[in-house]
Amino acid sequence: MEKLKKVTLTVNGTVRVVRALPDTPLLWILREELKLTGTKFGCGVGQCAACTVHIDGKPNYACLNPISSLEGRTVTTIEGLSKESSHPVQKAWLAEHVPQCGYCQSGQIMRAAGLLNENPSPTRKEIVEGMHPNICRCGTYKRIVIAVQRASRGG
């Protein structure tokens, strides 16, 4: 029988110690253990990107990263992106009325924030390419691109 592993990581600026089976996906630690439910379960196999979080500042899939791979690392979820939705991407999302059903939006926002961290002034083509991993079943892609453009100008 596999034993629980103790893992220390920083989540949204707070050092957290969790005990879990080594192959437990970060997604379940966030949602079930830490009660951070903003990160969504979409497919569980890295195909939709609804579970996008930042790991050490880079967008990554929470469903594919086992907790054992996160010792000493830093994770930022949608809850930790900013206080009171003040991040330029969050402000642009609201200004452009991006969400419809809203399910994929935390992953979309985290991907967009990561894109802008890497490239503060992306072209439309770079935005489309950068946002490509994230699926929006409502099809708000045009508004997503416009919101990322707005966020690149400060929100």
Side-chain angles (χ1 to χ4, degrees):
M1 175 161 217
E2 201 170 14
K3 292 185 179 183
L4 297 180
K5 179 175 173 72
K6 180 177 111 174
V7 176
T8 304
L9 67 159
T10 301
V11 179
N12 298 335
T14 302
V15 175
R16 305 299 295 258
V17 177
V18 297
R19 292 185 185 280
L21 293 174
D23 61 348
T24 303
L26 171 62
L27 176 64
W28 300 122
I29 298 300
L30 294 173
R31 291 184 60 80
E32 301 297 324
E33 299 297 322
L34 303 180
K35 306 303 181 199
L36 297 170
T37 57
T39 303
K40 302 302 181 196
F41 172 77
C43 66
V45 293
Q47 295 295 307
C48 73
C51 67
T52 301
V53 297
H54 293 176
I55 299 175
D56 296 333
K58 307 264 187 222
N60 217 305
Y61 302 118
C63 73
L64 294 182
N65 282 277
I67 192 63
S68 61
S69 71
L70 298 170
E71 177 66 43
R73 298 183 75 186
T74 300
V75 175
T76 304
T77 69
I78 191 72
E79 292 93 343
L81 188 60
S82 69
K83 295 204 183 284
E84 301 170 6
S85 299
S86 61
H87 189 281
V89 173
Q90 292 169 309
K91 291 181 351 187
W93 241 246
L94 294 173
E96 296 299 336
H97 306 286
V98 174
Q100 282 187 17
C101 84
Y103 197 81
C104 70
Q105 296 308 303
S106 63
Q108 298 277 2
I109 289 168
M110 294 305 288
R111 172 83 51 200
L115 169 66
L116 293 176
N117 285 342
E118 292 284 317
N119 181 357
S121 299
T123 64
R124 183 185 186 291
K125 181 180 180 194
E126 290 169 331
I127 293 168
V128 170
E129 289 172 0
M131 296 300 295
H132 177 73
N134 291 66
I135 293 173
C136 174
R137 289 184 173 90
C138 297
T140 64
Y141 297 111
K142 182 177 179 183
R143 285 185 283 184
I144 289 169
V145 170
I146 292 168
V148 175
Q149 289 171 326
R150 178 186 282 250
S152 75
R153 297 186 302 271

